Amino acid sequence: MSFGADFERAMCSFNAMGGEFSGNDDTATVVAYVVRGDTVEFSTAVCAPHDRFNVAVGGAIALERFMEGRTVTMRRADCAFL
């Protein structure tokens, strides 16, 4: 994973799509998502049990997965993280 110029370009592209993040300390999960009408496209990053949760690292991983197209699309009404 690159945190250099490639990451900055990915973040700018994600923001231009209307992308947002949702983090949850209780489940050590970060979701990168874009709402598109009645659907939500998203990717996740879940902290491994032996690691310490860091929302910034989780956000970078979720963003990387989103930009690589490793996403899921669901109905907005079914997304508990919104």
Side-chain angles (χ1 to χ4, degrees):
M1 175 184 343
S2 170
F3 287 92
D6 290 340
F7 179 78
E8 291 177 24
R9 281 191 293 275
M11 181 61 85
C12 288
S13 295
F14 182 68
N15 289 337
M17 286 185 265
E20 297 185 49
F21 293 95
S22 176
N24 188 328
D25 288 333
D26 293 339
T27 60
T29 302
V30 177
V31 180
Y33 65 93
V34 175
V35 176
R36 295 191 170 106
D38 291 340
T39 64
V40 179
E41 181 180 6
F42 65 94
S43 61
T44 62
V46 179
C47 187
H50 61 277
D51 284 341
R52 175 182 264 173
F53 179 66
N54 181 313
V55 71
V57 172
I61 293 168
L63 174 64
E64 180 180 51
R65 291 175 178 165
F66 190 95
M67 298 309 288
E68 290 176 348
R70 298 188 299 172
T71 62
V72 173
T73 301
M74 291 179 61
R75 292 181 332 145
R76 184 176 183 173
D78 295 333
C79 292
F81 56 85
L82 292 179

